[in-house]
Amino acid sequence: MPPSPRGIDSPGADGTGKTETGRVASQETAPLTIVPFYCGSQRSLLEPLAKELMAAFSLPVERQPPGFDPEMAYDSARGQYNSRILLALLLRHHQGPGKLLGVTDADLFIPVLTFVFGEAQLDGRVALVSSHRLVPERYGLPADPAQLQARLAKEAIHELGHTFGLVHCANGRCVMASSPQLTGVDLKTARFCVDCRDALRRRRSRPSTAGP
Amino acid sequence: MTKKQASILVVDDEFAVRDSLSHWFRKDGFDVHEAESATDALKALDSQSFDVALVDLKMPGMDGLELQERIHQIDPQIGVIMITAFASVETAVRALKQGAFDYVTKPIDPDELSHLVRRCLEQRSLREENEKLRETIDDLVGVSTIVGESPPMLKVLELVRHVAETDATVLIRGESGTGKELIARAIHAASRRRYFPIVPLNCGALPGDLLESELFGHERGAFTGAQYRRKGKIETADHGTLFLDEVGAITPKMQVDLLRVLETKEVTRLGANRPTKVDFRVICATNEDLENAVKEKRFREDLYYRINVFAIEAPPLRARPTDVPLLAEHFRQLFARQMDKRITSISPEAMEVLTAYDWPGNVRELSNAIERAMVVGKPPVIRPQDLPVRPAGATSGPGDSLLAVEKRHIAEVLERADWNITRAAETLGIDRVTVYNKIKKYGLRR
Ligand SMILES: [Zn+2]
Ligand SMILES: [Zn+2]
């Protein structure tokens, strides 16, 4: 029985900026933790991704192996992985003060949508990103490692942006622009626009408050 | 984000669907409310209004179709999007006929969902705009859309009433600021089309190609930057009125296209290959000499005859000086309400200045003058020094016009004082000898 995604939103258990011992963590300095799983041939993307994240958020970046079984999120009817459940698993099995980013090459979905590039807990602690649908070869195009790397970095920064409470930005060049299609991903940059950067700075100077 | 946060109501009995939809839209900046049943949804609607409702078609108890009906009874403005499984597309079509905005089948393409909700919001804001417009019209038409009791204005109003009963194309001519748009709105408001939108478009304000896509709409990908398909103003005016201001400004190519649309009552969006039938009335306005433009071949003669079926001349304000006090008072009331300022009257001296001026900018200039006076003036009265206008007399020099104002002003004060010189001198703040001198100087008589 997979864990209920409701766990993601249960108050107190997450995102409130408190660790299990109740100590208030410093959101400003706690490291970002990358949790890679099912990365397969895309493992080589992790090292450069860590550098990009370090630069984007000015935070130390660590790596942890997954403490859970991703198969619990597999939906055999769809042949895809339920990203809501994966977020819950990440949250449950990785304690600590900072933000968590699951990185995978598994194909992700949320129940009503056909697929997602990534997912995040808005104003919370966990995010998830998949390279699966970012790979040019999947669309019959020639391999382009640099493009793939850039896409993954944008989506990862975008989803982590959500965990800092940022919502979608109307500026199509901003990394927080909504991009349900690849064209949108390629059009935007890996950078926050001025407004989002300000919002991010404000958010980071106070503890996160995951709402229900 | 400075825009008002749009709100979405997600109604689905399945937790996973509700949960993922609400997270998806929260990240898009929406204010999201979840309901797990129709009853729950109706309760939410009791305490809050929503812009969009995403409703699952199949739910235990009251189903999506019935809920949609109830939602629209509560608030007809809410855009309802139905979510269905593949099997129930037929029911979804029924929902569309009942007034749902659209339906999607599970699982939904994320791109499609974003577009759908955005389009739904766009349509809603358009409806709201029209609603506001209608209120303004009702507000104005109720008493005084077109303020004026002078013979030239009474004639205009008679023409408006007369032409409103027909569907004829109307050409309103007049200097800028004479209230041509108000006349167009009055025709629309008095016509059988009044419950549908009047869609105004200023042809002089847009460059040719932009005007073209504004008027005719476009399909997705019709040109660079056309990311979504979009209805043009003509289609938006379906069953209503299309008001084309500064019609003399349109390009020769657009003149051909417009003529064809007026003749066939069909529009073809840019990038589309099939035309759409549209039922609309067109009212044009111009401050240009169109006959001259026709003579100089800048304006097509056939189009000129097509739009000039019924002409209404908006008289300049200087041709109806007796309307100035009425209009001034009308604007004072309007702005006092808008600004919540207790300015209860216009002083006779200020009114004197207003009636002496010849208003080259017409009603708009008068409206601006009163608005400005309301801003700078101190309650409860508008005084001459609050007005941005210089009085202009019969002759043109500024000195002369001041004298003219003084003459009229002194005459009026004397009139009100019943020619009691002492009282008039008090009101005017000058001594009695000066009053006598002024009477002599201006040749005033009882
Ligand atoms: Zn996002
Ligand atoms: Zn931004």
Side-chain angles (χ1 to χ4, degrees), chain A residues 4 15 25 34 37 51 70 79-80 85 89 93-94 99 101 120 123 127 139 154 170 173 199:
Chain A
S4 154
I34 292 181
F37 61 94
K51 288 209 184 82
Q80 291 171 300
I85 295 177
L89 287 165
H93 296 280
H94 293 265
K99 310 281 185 193
L101 174 71
D123 202 3
Y139 305 88
K154 288 176 197 177
R173 301 285 290 161

Side-chain angles (χ1 to χ4, degrees), chain B residues 406-412 414 419 435 438-446:
Chain B
E406 187 180 66
K407 173 183 172 183
R408 216 168 307 186
H409 180 50
I410 291 174
E412 217 223 321
L414 282 165
W419 281 77
V435 176
K438 296 274 182 196
I439 291 172
K440 209 155 73 186
K441 178 179 171 195
Y442 293 127
L444 300 173
R445 250 176 302 167
R446 197 171 180 158

Side-chain angles (χ1 to χ4, degrees), chain A residues 136-186:
Chain A
E137 296 97 298
R138 211 168 299 284
Y139 305 88
L141 297 167
D144 185 342
Q147 187 184 46
L148 175 59
Q149 189 72 57
R151 286 173 175 174
L152 186 66
K154 288 176 197 177
E155 286 308 290
I157 294 168
H158 176 104
E159 296 304 339
L160 281 167
H162 282 316
T163 66
F164 284 104
L166 298 187
V167 294
H168 288 155
C169 178
N171 181 342
R173 301 285 290 161
C174 173
V175 74
M176 289 316 292
S178 166
S179 52
Q181 278 191 324
L182 269 185
T183 42
V185 178
D186 290 338

Side-chain angles (χ1 to χ4, degrees), chain B residues 101-253:
Chain B
F101 177 76
D102 213 334
Y103 72 89
V104 278
T105 43
K106 281 187 272 194
I108 313 162
D109 179 64
D111 194 38
E112 189 190 342
L113 186 60
S114 291
H115 281 188
L116 201 59
V117 170
R118 210 146 290 158
R119 268 202 348 251
C120 188
L121 284 170
E122 270 173 25
Q123 210 184 66
R124 188 187 151 93
S125 69
L126 188 73
R127 260 203 313 264
E128 274 172 359
E129 243 170 69
N130 285 328
E131 198 61 44
K132 249 185 258 153
L133 220 61
R134 200 173 306 155
E135 277 168 22
T136 327
I137 293 166
D138 285 350
D139 212 13
L140 292 166
V141 171
V143 254
S144 48
T145 312
I146 299 169
V147 179
E149 287 169 5
S150 59
M153 270 334 266
L154 292 180
K155 192 176 153 222
V156 166
L157 288 172
E158 196 196 313
L159 291 175
V160 164
R161 262 193 304 276
H162 178 69
V163 79
E165 287 165 18
T166 76
D167 228 8
T169 304
V170 182
L171 179 63
I172 304 166
R173 346 185 37 148
E175 294 173 15
S176 56
T178 47
K180 295 188 288 293
E181 181 161 352
L182 274 185
I183 295 175
R185 288 185 188 284
I187 295 171
H188 175 78
S191 77
R192 65 174 174 88
R193 298 178 176 276
R194 63 178 159 278
Y195 296 115
F196 294 92
I198 173 165
V199 180
L201 183 64
N202 186 333
C203 303
L206 295 169
D209 44 350
L210 217 72
L211 182 62
E212 196 176 350
S213 90
E214 277 289 305
L215 257 184
F216 301 115
H218 58 74
E219 291 294 322
R220 185 173 173 167
F223 48 86
T224 351
Q227 280 190 314
Y228 315 108
R229 60 195 263 224
R230 198 167 145 205
K231 262 192 191 178
K233 297 276 187 191
I234 297 176
E235 272 182 88
T236 313
D238 200 12
H239 302 300
T241 303
L242 178 69
F243 175 58
L244 299 176
D245 203 356
E246 291 189 46
V247 71
I250 61 176
T251 61
K253 180 188 176 301

